mmCIF file of all heavy atoms in Angstrom:
data_model
loop_
_atom_site.group_PDB
_atom_site.id
_atom_site.type_symbol
_atom_site.label_atom_id
_atom_site.label_comp_id
_atom_site.label_asym_id
_atom_site.label_seq_id
_atom_site.Cartn_x
_atom_site.Cartn_y
_atom_site.Cartn_z
ATOM 1 N N VAL A 29 0.334 -4.343 1.705
ATOM 2 C CA VAL A 29 -0.733 -3.521 2.292
ATOM 3 C C VAL A 29 -1.922 -4.405 2.623
ATOM 4 O O VAL A 29 -2.169 -5.388 1.937
ATOM 5 C CB VAL A 29 -1.157 -2.384 1.322
ATOM 6 C CG1 VAL A 29 -0.009 -1.413 1.101
ATOM 7 C CG2 VAL A 29 -1.619 -2.918 -0.026
ATOM 8 N N ILE B 22 -0.970 3.844 -4.297
ATOM 9 C CA ILE B 22 -1.057 4.932 -3.322
ATOM 10 C C ILE B 22 -1.720 4.383 -2.054
ATOM 11 O O ILE B 22 -2.819 3.831 -2.120
ATOM 12 C CB ILE B 22 -1.853 6.111 -3.899
ATOM 13 C CG1 ILE B 22 -1.132 6.673 -5.134
ATOM 14 C CG2 ILE B 22 -2.063 7.201 -2.837
ATOM 15 C CD1 ILE B 22 -1.849 7.808 -5.823
ATOM 16 N N VAL B 23 -1.005 4.475 -0.947
ATOM 17 C CA VAL B 23 -1.552 3.962 0.322
ATOM 18 C C VAL B 23 -1.551 5.076 1.361
ATOM 19 O O VAL B 23 -0.679 5.947 1.338
ATOM 20 C CB VAL B 23 -0.729 2.749 0.837
ATOM 21 C CG1 VAL B 23 -0.856 1.571 -0.122
ATOM 22 C CG2 VAL B 23 0.739 3.099 1.013
ATOM 23 N N TYR B 24 -2.522 5.041 2.260
ATOM 24 C CA TYR B 24 -2.611 6.163 3.202
ATOM 25 C C TYR B 24 -3.138 5.752 4.579
ATOM 26 O O TYR B 24 -3.846 4.764 4.712
ATOM 27 C CB TYR B 24 -3.510 7.266 2.644
ATOM 28 C CG TYR B 24 -4.876 6.834 2.217
ATOM 29 C CD1 TYR B 24 -5.920 6.674 3.140
ATOM 30 C CD2 TYR B 24 -5.141 6.568 0.873
ATOM 31 C CE1 TYR B 24 -7.187 6.272 2.731
ATOM 32 C CE2 TYR B 24 -6.403 6.160 0.454
ATOM 33 C CZ TYR B 24 -7.416 6.017 1.392
ATOM 34 O OH TYR B 24 -8.666 5.599 0.977
ATOM 35 N N ARG B 45 -8.058 3.548 -9.008
ATOM 36 C CA ARG B 45 -9.076 2.570 -8.580
ATOM 37 C C ARG B 45 -8.724 2.035 -7.195
ATOM 38 O O ARG B 45 -7.561 1.744 -6.901
ATOM 39 C CB ARG B 45 -9.137 1.432 -9.592
ATOM 40 C CG ARG B 45 -9.774 1.862 -10.914
ATOM 41 C CD ARG B 45 -9.606 0.821 -11.983
ATOM 42 N NE ARG B 45 -8.199 0.530 -12.225
ATOM 43 C CZ ARG B 45 -7.668 -0.694 -12.283
ATOM 44 N NH1 ARG B 45 -8.430 -1.747 -12.106
ATOM 45 N NH2 ARG B 45 -6.389 -0.865 -12.519
ATOM 46 N N ARG B 46 -9.740 1.876 -6.405
ATOM 47 C CA ARG B 46 -9.545 1.451 -5.018
ATOM 48 C C ARG B 46 -9.345 -0.046 -4.943
ATOM 49 O O ARG B 46 -10.100 -0.811 -5.564
ATOM 50 C CB ARG B 46 -10.793 1.850 -4.216
ATOM 51 C CG ARG B 46 -10.601 1.889 -2.728
ATOM 52 C CD ARG B 46 -11.761 2.588 -2.088
ATOM 53 N NE ARG B 46 -11.505 2.878 -0.679
ATOM 54 C CZ ARG B 46 -12.329 3.597 0.061
ATOM 55 N NH1 ARG B 46 -13.413 4.124 -0.480
ATOM 56 N NH2 ARG B 46 -12.077 3.820 1.345
ATOM 57 N N ILE B 47 -8.313 -0.498 -4.230
ATOM 58 C CA ILE B 47 -8.090 -1.934 -4.063
ATOM 59 C C ILE B 47 -8.366 -2.369 -2.631
ATOM 60 O O ILE B 47 -8.588 -3.525 -2.364
ATOM 61 C CB ILE B 47 -6.639 -2.332 -4.449
ATOM 62 C CG1 ILE B 47 -5.607 -1.574 -3.593
ATOM 63 C CG2 ILE B 47 -6.415 -2.125 -5.936
ATOM 64 C CD1 ILE B 47 -4.202 -2.144 -3.682
ATOM 65 N N GLN B 48 -8.324 -1.416 -1.726
ATOM 66 C CA GLN B 48 -8.579 -1.688 -0.320
ATOM 67 C C GLN B 48 -9.120 -0.421 0.321
ATOM 68 O O GLN B 48 -9.191 0.620 -0.320
ATOM 69 C CB GLN B 48 -7.276 -1.998 0.439
ATOM 70 C CG GLN B 48 -6.606 -3.259 0.095
ATOM 71 C CD GLN B 48 -5.351 -3.511 0.901
ATOM 72 O OE1 GLN B 48 -4.582 -4.390 0.562
ATOM 73 N NE2 GLN B 48 -5.109 -2.747 1.968
ATOM 74 N N ARG B 49 -9.440 -0.485 1.608
ATOM 75 C CA ARG B 49 -9.966 0.684 2.287
ATOM 76 C C ARG B 49 -9.005 1.867 2.138
ATOM 77 O O ARG B 49 -9.396 2.991 1.929
ATOM 78 C CB ARG B 49 -10.182 0.368 3.777
ATOM 79 C CG ARG B 49 -11.376 1.065 4.367
ATOM 80 C CD ARG B 49 -11.535 0.808 5.861
ATOM 81 N NE ARG B 49 -10.605 -0.154 6.384
ATOM 82 C CZ ARG B 49 -10.967 -1.307 6.952
ATOM 83 N NH1 ARG B 49 -12.250 -1.637 7.010
ATOM 84 N NH2 ARG B 49 -10.083 -2.135 7.449
ATOM 85 N N SER B 50 -7.701 1.563 2.277
ATOM 86 C CA SER B 50 -6.763 2.699 2.253
ATOM 87 C C SER B 50 -5.670 2.515 1.206
ATOM 88 O O SER B 50 -4.504 2.840 1.450
ATOM 89 C CB SER B 50 -6.144 2.844 3.645
ATOM 90 O OG SER B 50 -5.588 1.591 4.026
ATOM 91 N N ALA B 51 -6.061 1.988 0.062
ATOM 92 C CA ALA B 51 -5.066 1.825 -1.013
ATOM 93 C C ALA B 51 -5.733 1.907 -2.378
ATOM 94 O O ALA B 51 -6.828 1.380 -2.588
ATOM 95 C CB ALA B 51 -4.346 0.483 -0.864
ATOM 96 N N PHE B 52 -5.057 2.592 -3.291
ATOM 97 C CA PHE B 52 -5.523 2.746 -4.671
ATOM 98 C C PHE B 52 -4.390 2.377 -5.627
ATOM 99 O O PHE B 52 -3.211 2.469 -5.262
ATOM 100 C CB PHE B 52 -5.902 4.215 -4.931
ATOM 101 C CG PHE B 52 -7.248 4.634 -4.411
ATOM 102 C CD1 PHE B 52 -7.483 4.748 -3.050
ATOM 103 C CD2 PHE B 52 -8.288 4.901 -5.300
ATOM 104 C CE1 PHE B 52 -8.728 5.148 -2.564
ATOM 105 C CE2 PHE B 52 -9.540 5.294 -4.826
ATOM 106 C CZ PHE B 52 -9.756 5.419 -3.459
ATOM 107 N N VAL B 53 -4.780 2.010 -6.849
ATOM 108 C CA VAL B 53 -3.778 1.818 -7.905
ATOM 109 C C VAL B 53 -4.303 2.467 -9.185
ATOM 110 O O VAL B 53 -5.490 2.737 -9.305
ATOM 111 C CB VAL B 53 -3.504 0.314 -8.201
ATOM 112 C CG1 VAL B 53 -2.867 -0.391 -7.034
ATOM 113 C CG2 VAL B 53 -4.754 -0.399 -8.685
#
Side-chain angles (χ1 to χ4, degrees):
Chain A
V29 295
Chain B
I22 298 178
V23 295
Y24 53 82
R45 288 170 302 131
R46 198 167 191 174
I47 59 166
Q48 292 181 193
R49 215 183 354 241
S50 54
F52 281 70
V53 294

